[in-house]
Amino acid sequence: MNCNFLFDLDQTLLDFHASEKKALELVLKANGLPFSDEIYSAFKECNKSLWLKLEKKEISRTDVFTGRFKYIFEKCGGDLSILDPLKINGDFIKTMSMNGVLLDGSLEFVERLKREIEGCKIYIVSNGATLNAMGRLKSTGLDKFMDGFFISEEMGVAKPDPAFFDIVFDRIKQPKESCIVIGDSLSSDMLGAKNSSLSSVWFMPQGDVKSAMRDYDIDFSASSYDELFSVLKKWADGVEDKF
């Protein structure tokens, strides 16, 4: 039986914020709008709040895409009568997809997993737009080390909904005991693992780590790729012993 590593993408393997900031600057300037660190911070906070609402099923994906650009147009003094939020959102996603940025050490880490943990399978489990996620994976070369991709847009369901991982299990034809979720987000990755009774690793934890690990039933935490490798190697050895 394989050991199946289910990796979140953004802020786990790829630097989402670096790609996001670059793409937002290019798209706003292309539409005659100003860009600054303050504008980016405002966009990032708005975007985060909208995605949290989507995870709770309070709004739709279209609401996220239109809402974040309507908000930023107002911050930039843009004319909503001539600016199309959905069109510019599409331009933004396309621009991001061509500008993937690796987190420092992530490519070497994935190479090491493949080299030193025999028979392991690595899958991407990500909330987001397929074009954006796959484009950035390919632009960085990470896609070559992956055994499959599960992106919420094409699946029609997002983490932390258990239905997301039900689709993963159905496609990879492996028991959940052979799978472990690795991600940075409590509200999607760790809660998704908890909802599906999956083992989990919280990567780059912040805040009250002990309380969060208890509240979300998190099995492990890791603050570096070296630490994460050790956790996954030990877990994989344990899985092999059970089966």
Side-chain angles (χ1 to χ4, degrees):
M1 184 184 67
N2 298 323
C3 292
N4 301 291
F5 302 142
L6 310 183
F7 274 90
D8 175 52
L9 184 59
D10 294 318
Q11 303 311 119
T12 303
L13 295 173
L14 292 185
D15 189 335
F16 175 83
H17 299 307
S19 296
E20 178 185 56
K21 185 176 183 179
K22 184 174 183 179
L24 184 65
E25 179 178 8
L26 291 171
V27 167
L28 290 181
K29 288 184 175 179
N31 286 276
L33 298 172
F35 177 82
S36 65
D37 288 344
E38 181 182 354
I39 287 171
Y40 172 61
S41 294
F43 179 85
K44 187 166 63 172
E45 288 303 312
C46 176
N47 196 37
K48 181 180 179 180
S49 67
L50 290 171
W51 278 104
L52 286 172
K53 288 181 180 180
L54 178 65
E55 289 169 5
K56 296 175 183 178
K57 300 184 179 180
E58 296 174 357
I59 61 175
S60 69
R61 292 179 63 83
T62 300
D63 292 331
V64 174
F65 295 156
T66 57
R68 62 189 184 182
F69 277 99
K70 283 183 178 179
Y71 173 79
I72 213 64
F73 292 162
E74 292 173 356
K75 293 286 290 185
C76 293
D79 187 347
L80 287 170
S81 68
I82 60 173
L83 292 169
D84 182 346
L86 271 181
K87 179 188 179 302
I88 293 178
N89 181 80
D91 295 340
F92 169 73
I93 289 175
K94 184 178 179 180
T95 303
M96 272 197 74
S97 74
M98 297 184 289
N99 291 281
V101 179
L102 291 163
L103 286 176
D104 188 28
S106 63
L107 185 62
E108 294 82 1
F109 163 71
V110 170
E111 290 175 333
R112 186 182 181 193
L113 284 180
K114 283 291 190 179
R115 184 175 65 249
E116 298 187 26
I117 301 182
E118 186 176 354
C120 77
K121 300 288 185 180
I122 303 177
Y123 299 95
I124 293 297
V125 290
S126 177
N127 286 350
T130 304
L131 174 66
N132 191 339
M134 294 305 300
R136 287 183 295 124
L137 277 164
K138 290 177 181 177
S139 73
T140 58
L142 266 178
D143 63 308
K144 299 173 184 176
F145 299 93
M146 302 301 153
D147 295 283
F149 310 91
F150 297 92
I151 314 297
S152 63
E153 181 182 51
E154 65 183 24
M155 295 166 71
V157 63
K159 300 174 295 183
D161 193 325
F164 181 99
F165 289 104
D166 288 343
I167 294 172
V168 174
F169 303 143
D170 182 64
R171 291 186 186 173
I172 70 175
K173 308 298 182 186
Q174 294 284 310
K176 65 172 57 180
E177 293 80 10
S178 71
C179 300
I180 187 167
V181 177
I182 305 99
D184 68 301
S185 171
L186 290 175
S187 61
S188 62
D189 304 319
M190 298 300 99
L191 183 57
K194 178 181 179 180
N195 289 344
S196 294
S197 301
L198 285 163
S199 297
S200 60
V201 187
W202 186 18
F203 186 56
M204 299 299 286
Q206 298 179 352
D208 188 342
V209 176
K210 288 184 178 179
S211 294
M213 290 187 71
R214 181 183 64 246
D215 293 344
Y216 289 86
D217 294 338
I218 300 168
D219 297 285
F220 311 98
S221 65
S223 298
S224 69
Y225 286 122
D226 284 342
E227 188 177 1
L228 181 56
F229 178 85
S230 296
V231 167
L232 294 179
K233 181 68 168 66
K234 184 177 180 179
W235 178 85
D237 290 343
V239 169
E240 289 178 1
D241 290 343
K242 290 179 182 177
F243 293 89

